[in-house]
Amino acid sequence: MAPDRRAAPPRPGGARGEPRDRAAVAGALRLLRPGAVLAAAVTAVAYVAAVDPNEDGHYPTCPFLSVTGLQCPGCGSMRTVHALAHARIDDALGLNVLTVAAVPLLAFFWVRWALARAQDRPTRTKASHPALIWTLLGTILLFWLVRNLPFGSFLAA
């Protein structure tokens, strides 16, 4: 006996709805990583906004600061994020100007990544031109040095 080869009953939405559904699911999956990074960033900023880093005992001290007595390039970043979360931009600039400058830069790279994923374009695997990376490293090292010298005390947190 030959097996019964009857057609399966049509699914809801019909055959024409399937590719659209599959495309919507694929689009949502492409945005999963950018969405997870955004959720993690929003959660971290909300926590730092709620738990004041200016009060003792809430966060550990910077290990570099506690060992050397000098400020690293990131010293004051949590207090800067707290000030930015409360729209106190003047206070944030006085704590760590490098962190304030990094926020729009990080937002730009996140938006570029999310748009590329949403449009199913390849994302860049190379960070940037080596000269730009070396310039960024030099800027961070210069900031680190100057904020610990007497004439650069205005950069200290």
Side-chain angles (χ1 to χ4, degrees):
M1 272 192 160
D4 188 15
R5 296 190 186 255
R6 284 186 260 170
R11 293 174 45 184
R16 291 186 182 190
E18 286 180 31
R20 197 174 308 140
D21 293 342
R22 220 177 290 162
V25 169
L29 287 176
R30 284 194 305 268
L31 290 175
L32 193 60
R33 285 187 181 148
V37 169
L38 180 63
V42 167
T43 302
V45 169
Y47 183 80
V48 172
V51 181
D52 191 356
N54 294 303
E55 296 178 15
D56 290 335
H58 288 160
Y59 299 99
T61 303
C62 171
F64 186 80
L65 179 64
S66 63
V67 169
T68 66
L70 300 172
Q71 293 185 355
C72 75
C75 278
S77 290
M78 256 200 248
R79 290 179 286 149
T80 301
V81 170
H82 180 80
L84 286 173
H86 291 277
R88 295 192 319 257
I89 296 171
D90 288 345
D91 292 346
L93 286 168
L95 292 166
N96 193 323
V97 70
L98 202 57
T99 301
V100 175
V103 169
L105 189 65
L106 290 171
F108 166 77
F109 283 116
W110 181 87
V111 167
R112 188 175 77 171
W113 175 43
L115 284 175
R117 296 309 305 139
Q119 297 169 353
D120 200 20
R121 288 185 292 122
T123 55
R124 291 180 62 161
T125 55
K126 185 177 171 185
S128 189
H129 190 275
L132 291 174
I133 295 172
W134 284 109
T135 302
L136 177 63
L137 178 64
T139 302
I140 292 169
L141 291 174
L142 185 64
F143 177 74
W144 191 355
L145 175 69
V146 170
R147 80 183 313 196
N148 287 298
L149 294 174
F151 67 86
S153 62
F154 66 96
L155 293 174

